[in-house]
Amino acid sequence: MFLLTPALLLALASPASLAQVNTRQTPRQVGPSILVRWQGKPGVERYRLQLATDEAFKDIVFDQAVVGRQHVVRELPPGNYFWRVAPAAGETGIYSTPARVTLGNTAGVEVADVRAPADTGGWRTATGDVPRPVPAQLRAGGIVDVVGVNAEGMIYALDGVSGIALWTSRYRPDARRGDAVGENPTPFAPLVLRIRQDESNVVVAFDGGVRALRGDSGRELWRAKLEGRVTGGVAADVNGDGGAEVALVTAKPERLYVLDGASGRVVAEQKLEAEVVGAPFPLKLGEAWGLALSHANGQLEVRGIDGKLLLATKASDELTTAPLIVTRGTMSVLVVGTNKGLMALSMPDLKTLGTIVADDDSVHGMLSAADVDGDGTTEIVMVTKRGRVALVSTVDGNVIWYAEGAMDAASATFGDLNADGVLDVIVPGGAAFAIGLSGRDGSLIWKVDEDGGRRVESSAAKGTRALVVAETLNGGAVLVGSDPSRIGLRAVELPKGALKAATR
């Protein structure tokens, strides 16, 4: 399904790169283990878990009280086992029907049941479809909230713990009472402007440009009128002055804008020759700061913060994602999705290293990156139009594994779902709210169905959606995204200890 051109393999496996490989950290090795997950009883957090070699439980090899609705049993020899669980809030209750699980010889965690418990903690709120929610610390106190824009342009800031709205705002802020919200044909995901360590403001689109809103109240701080419709942006320190700038791209007309994050003043504006895909990617070339841009017509550019062109190359294929730059030691590689696969280019000269060809498929949405196996190097996750998810090594350019079933996924996020010390890949799963794929081999290890197991029709036809991980106060995390029916946002509590690293 995925073919690697020799040029990419040779470029990434050059002597300089191999020297980096030889000094990498050794990934954590986990012996054969069993992850047992059960549905549980409402209001019960303490259970008695038993494993035996026989269905009658005459030869019990594990018998322990545990808290939560999943537990990893370690240090068992390979073989066939049966498990059962009973509520143990006080006296031990009635055990569940014994279920069989086979433990093999290979390192890793065998999952007895991929289904997340039906009463897993979380919340729902009727926001309408929010394709790209954004986690942000909008208020002092360490709470991570969620901000997003629905398909009609309504902006929601939600309490990350309860899902209750902190404030809302319209795409047409000057509309009178009773007027339509104002449809935004391609909702622009809010940008987070960090103002203090634990407080942020947000930048959102309106029908005349963009405006900044206070994170804690939604009060407008500034607005900037721009030509065209805002399609992508990034908030970052793109000139090294210690303050945040806002880099934006628009369509019809195609423009690049750089705004001062504190005032909204336009500090740079540049006409572009073609529509930009996704958001600009901030980077540094020696002492110069810049922005990498992908154009749908195949043009890949690096522009200075003044908008002037610094570097450019033209791909033979259409570009379908924003660029992503990964660095290993002194070597940087720019990767970008195309209508035929994934392309890698050297930095800073933008020379093509090679491509991964997706057979009869195209990469879409956003590329994601994380050190999945903890070996000190970054892996890349791409999602495709036909619902494939692929984990790509930046050491040799090979596809480590790929899986299917993510027809409506716009991107991937990460979390250690089975306590094996490796980050797993989490994506929308069509009719399922989310599925978790093992970071080791791509196998299905976690699945969150809709409440009551109700059937959802044609989820992919409703457009793509993204899931994000937001940290909670107790060190836990929730997974947030639109539900498959696109009624609103849903948050699902992740297994304890899942939050290990942030998605880039």
Side-chain angles (χ1 to χ4, degrees):
M1 294 295 182
F2 294 95
L3 302 176
L4 176 68
T5 61
L8 180 57
L9 179 59
L10 292 174
L12 291 179
S14 64
S17 298
L18 290 176
Q20 296 289 336
V21 175
N22 293 335
T23 59
R24 289 188 301 166
Q25 303 173 27
T26 302
R28 174 186 171 188
Q29 295 297 317
V30 177
S33 308
I34 298 175
L35 171 62
V36 183
R37 186 181 291 138
W38 56 91
Q39 296 302 309
K41 299 290 184 181
V44 178
E45 287 298 317
R46 191 171 183 269
Y47 294 85
R48 185 173 180 179
L49 174 65
Q50 292 184 337
L51 271 78
T53 60
D54 63 305
E55 193 170 6
F57 280 77
K58 295 180 179 180
D59 182 21
I60 296 176
V61 296
F62 181 89
D63 187 355
Q64 185 175 313
V66 298
V67 176
R69 287 169 175 76
Q70 72 173 39
H71 187 79
V72 177
V73 182
R74 308 183 191 276
E75 300 180 357
L76 291 177
N80 295 319
Y81 295 92
F82 294 86
W83 67 271
R84 64 183 184 182
V85 67
E91 296 294 326
T92 301
I94 299 174
Y95 280 102
S96 60
T97 301
R100 181 174 176 172
V101 59
T102 299
L103 183 61
N105 291 300
T106 58
V109 177
E110 182 69 32
V111 179
D113 189 346
V114 301
R115 296 172 301 163
D119 61 345
T120 297
W123 47 260
R124 286 180 180 270
T125 184
T127 57
D129 184 17
V130 178
R132 285 186 58 197
V134 179
Q137 286 189 304
L138 301 179
R139 305 167 288 168
I143 297 174
V144 178
D145 298 311
V146 178
V147 61
V149 181
N150 70 13
E152 296 180 343
M154 181 67 81
I155 304 150
Y156 290 87
L158 306 176
D159 181 282
V161 176
S162 65
I164 295 173
L166 303 174
W167 50 265
T168 62
S169 187
R170 293 177 173 223
Y171 179 66
R172 295 177 57 201
D174 298 326
R176 297 179 180 179
R177 184 180 297 273
D179 288 351
V181 171
E183 183 179 357
N184 182 4
T186 54
F188 168 71
L191 304 178
V192 178
L193 273 174
R194 180 67 62 88
I195 57 173
R196 297 182 185 86
Q197 184 175 358
D198 59 350
E199 291 184 65
S200 301
N201 296 327
V202 294
V203 176
V204 299
F206 75 102
D207 55 355
V210 294
R211 57 197 186 112
L213 308 177
R214 277 189 61 106
D216 58 357
S217 66
R219 180 175 64 85
E220 184 175 305
L221 300 172
W222 54 256
R223 68 172 64 182
K225 293 186 176 181
L226 309 175
E227 289 190 78
R229 173 174 48 84
V230 180
T231 59
V234 62
D237 181 5
V238 298
N239 61 6
D241 65 354
E245 286 75 41
V246 180
L248 302 162
V249 290
T250 64
K252 298 180 181 180
E254 285 69 34
R255 294 281 194 276
L256 169 65
Y257 292 93
V258 179
L259 311 182
D260 176 77
S263 65
R265 178 176 59 89
V266 176
V267 297
E269 177 183 354
Q270 181 64 50
K271 179 182 177 181
L272 302 174
E273 297 301 321
E275 185 172 351
V276 173
V277 179
F281 190 96
L283 53 85
K284 192 175 183 182
L285 295 174
E287 298 300 318
W289 295 80
L291 298 163
L293 304 174
S294 295
H295 294 272
N297 66 356
Q299 181 85 352
L300 188 63
E301 299 177 341
V302 175
R303 291 182 176 271
I305 58 170
D306 57 1
K308 293 181 179 179
L309 186 65
L310 301 178
L311 298 166
T313 189
K314 185 70 176 290
S316 59
D317 302 320
E318 296 178 12
L319 302 184
T320 55
T321 75
L324 175 69
I325 296 176
V326 294
T327 302
R328 292 191 297 109
T330 59
M331 182 182 181
S332 294
V333 176
L334 184 149
V335 291
V336 63
T338 76
N339 63 338
K340 294 183 179 179
L342 189 71
M343 181 170 65
L345 303 96
S346 60
M347 290 294 293
D349 53 1
L350 293 182
K351 299 296 184 183
T352 301
L353 299 175
T355 59
I356 295 174
V357 180
D359 184 29
D360 193 28
D361 206 348
S362 62
V363 179
H364 73 166
M366 297 172 289
L367 302 175
S368 307
D371 181 4
V372 169
D373 55 9
D375 65 352
T377 62
T378 300
E379 285 77 39
I380 298 169
V381 176
M382 61 180 180
V383 295
T384 74
K385 192 173 182 179
R386 294 179 61 180
R388 295 168 178 153
V389 183
L391 182 69
V392 180
S393 168
T394 59
V395 174
D396 55 18
N398 276 314
V399 174
I400 300 171
W401 55 256
Y402 79 90
E404 301 187 2
M407 294 297 297
D408 58 344
S411 62
T413 189
F414 304 92
D416 185 4
L417 300 174
N418 58 358
D420 67 348
V422 171
L423 287 178
D424 304 304
V425 177
I426 308 170
V427 292
F433 172 69
I435 57 176
L437 306 172
S438 168
R440 294 181 183 270
D441 58 17
S443 60
L444 180 66
I445 60 171
W446 190 69
K447 183 179 181 182
V448 182
D449 288 316
E450 281 295 84
D451 291 349
R454 65 176 183 267
R455 187 176 179 182
V456 179
E457 300 287 351
S458 305
S459 178
K462 301 176 185 293
T464 59
R465 55 192 176 101
L467 303 173
V468 296
V469 174
E471 187 174 2
T472 55
L473 285 176
N474 59 2
V478 292
L479 184 70
V480 183
S482 279
D483 61 62
S485 298
R486 307 306 201 272
I487 295 173
L489 283 174
R490 179 183 180 186
V492 173
E493 185 177 359
L494 289 175
K496 185 177 180 180
L499 185 62
K500 288 187 55 188
T503 304
R504 287 193 313 199

